[in-house]
Amino acid sequence: MSSLFGYTTRTMATRLTLDLDTLRTLTVANDLGSLALAAEQLGRTPSAVSLQMKRLQEELGAPVFRKRGRGLALTEEGVVALAYARRMLSLNDELLDTMQGANIDGHIRIGCTQDFAAVLPSALSHFALLYPRMQVELRIEGNAALADAVEASQIDLAVAIGHETRAAAETIGQLEIVWIAASTFALPQNHPLPLAALGPQCAFRRCAIEHLETATTPYRIAASSPSLDGLWAALLAGLGITARTGLRLPEGLVSAASLFGLPALGALPVTVHRNPQSTGIAVDRMKILLTEAVQAALASQTKTAKKHKQSSRVA
């Protein structure tokens, strides 16, 4: 494994203090895969960026980058350095936000799909500590309505499922879709599959129908509701089966990727939408907090799904 820069190991009588600006260059270079692109984004010359990385490697006593074709790749030591760099920069940015945010007022409008409403408290409480004078306006709606609201400048930020092709969308994760029904639900014999669903614009509803039609499985809409609470009520009553995320299901419901042998539904992208006219450090921070909260929920779902698969294999 060859190093992109030369470096030397040296012993210091006193501890070094790493330069945060250099660590930020490291993260940008890694994200863009190129020192030249990093230099362009940071407004520096390529030689200045190369000098920063050479100095960093000398200070760490290990190479952080190696050549990969025309681009860059992290060494094993570089992966470790990058993880610490992101943590250090996050603390630096949060400190600045805390000190500067105390004097920032105004209001911010955010929207969230019903599936991720449970992640809002952690993000909002953190935001309130950073920006105590900011007023927050919340909107919990369907995915299409949220994406439309961002495009119409009615809200600043929104977390949605699907709608990844929208101009304001950024994909931040993937959400597994599962079949959900009451634990007492039984498939009707010699009758179409009864579906319970939200409205026609619902991405989960469209996904379920597409897969059922591809598998030539007869179905009918047995129950519909404009709200998630209504959908749960229909399922608990045994009116049908639905396709949705398995996040925070009410007690009495069961889920699986191929429940009752139905076709697996795959996953949908989770997206964060930002109005391009909504600028400022408060909006920047809220986007980060929402993204981190959603990604933590997705990671938790993945771990839970793996545990269920392992337990079912043992059984």
Side-chain angles (χ1 to χ4, degrees), residues 137-273:
E137 177 184 331
L138 298 176
R139 182 182 296 192
I140 307 297
E141 286 188 319
N143 299 295
L146 291 172
D148 290 342
V150 170
E151 291 181 348
S153 297
Q154 296 172 354
I155 54 178
D156 303 301
L157 292 167
V159 174
I161 298 170
H163 299 276
E164 68 278 11
T165 59
R166 302 270 190 143
E170 176 186 337
T171 298
I172 58 174
Q174 296 289 325
L175 183 63
E176 183 185 18
I177 308 172
V178 295
W179 293 103
I180 304 169
S183 57
T184 57
F185 179 78
L187 285 179
Q189 299 298 317
N190 302 318
H191 291 284
L193 179 72
L195 279 182
L198 299 184
Q201 286 190 308
C202 176
F204 295 110
R205 172 175 172 155
R206 294 198 304 269
C207 180
I209 290 176
E210 288 173 3
H211 280 78
L212 290 174
E213 291 181 345
T214 299
T216 64
T217 301
Y219 69 90
R220 67 182 181 90
I221 302 299
S224 62
S225 169
S227 72
L228 194 54
D229 286 340
L231 179 63
W232 297 148
L235 293 179
L236 290 169
L239 300 184
I241 188 171
T242 196
R244 204 162 184 87
T245 166
L247 289 170
R248 296 176 177 83
L249 293 182
E251 186 176 351
L253 298 181
V254 294
S255 67
S258 56
L259 197 64
F260 300 112
L262 292 169
L265 300 169
L268 283 175
V270 180
T271 52
V272 60
H273 300 245

Side-chain angles (χ1 to χ4, degrees), residues 23-34:
L23 295 181
R24 199 177 298 278
T25 300
L26 169 66
T27 64
V28 173
N30 172 75
D31 293 344
L32 297 180
S34 164

Side-chain angles (χ1 to χ4, degrees), residues 12-237:
M12 300 293 291
T14 58
R15 285 235 178 206
L16 287 168
T17 299
L18 295 175
D19 178 50
L20 289 176
D21 187 56
T22 299
L23 295 181
R24 199 177 298 278
T25 300
L26 169 66
T27 64
V28 173
N30 172 75
D31 293 344
L32 297 180
S34 164
L35 291 182
L37 292 177
E40 181 179 349
Q41 178 166 315
L42 294 169
R44 300 194 180 102
T45 63
S47 59
V49 168
S50 296
L51 182 61
Q52 278 188 306
M53 293 300 95
K54 181 178 180 180
R55 185 181 298 117
L56 176 62
Q57 293 182 137
E58 290 177 345
E59 292 173 343
L60 295 177
V64 293
F65 282 123
R66 60 182 173 83
K67 291 182 179 180
R68 185 175 63 184
R70 296 183 178 180
L72 298 177
L74 290 173
T75 62
E76 291 184 7
E77 296 89 345
V79 171
V80 175
L82 179 65
Y84 277 100
R86 292 197 191 281
R87 289 166 57 188
M88 294 167 69
L89 290 169
S90 177
L91 286 173
N92 173 81
D93 296 346
E94 186 169 321
L95 172 60
L96 291 175
D97 284 352
T98 300
M99 302 306 293
Q100 298 169 359
N103 297 318
I104 295 177
D105 56 16
H107 81 286
I108 183 171
R109 306 159 299 172
I110 64 173
C112 186
T113 180
Q114 299 173 89
D115 300 89
F116 287 106
V119 309
L120 288 176
S122 62
L124 294 179
S125 62
H126 196 160
F127 183 82
L129 289 174
L130 298 175
Y131 304 98
R133 298 177 61 182
M134 288 287 290
Q135 177 185 351
V136 180
E137 177 184 331
L138 298 176
R139 182 182 296 192
I140 307 297
E141 286 188 319
N143 299 295
L146 291 172
D148 290 342
V150 170
E151 291 181 348
S153 297
Q154 296 172 354
I155 54 178
D156 303 301
L157 292 167
V159 174
I161 298 170
H163 299 276
E164 68 278 11
T165 59
R166 302 270 190 143
E170 176 186 337
T171 298
I172 58 174
Q174 296 289 325
L175 183 63
E176 183 185 18
I177 308 172
V178 295
W179 293 103
I180 304 169
S183 57
T184 57
F185 179 78
L187 285 179
Q189 299 298 317
N190 302 318
H191 291 284
L193 179 72
L195 279 182
L198 299 184
Q201 286 190 308
C202 176
F204 295 110
R205 172 175 172 155
R206 294 198 304 269
C207 180
I209 290 176
E210 288 173 3
H211 280 78
L212 290 174
E213 291 181 345
T214 299
T216 64
T217 301
Y219 69 90
R220 67 182 181 90
I221 302 299
S224 62
S225 169
S227 72
L228 194 54
D229 286 340
L231 179 63
W232 297 148
L235 293 179
L236 290 169

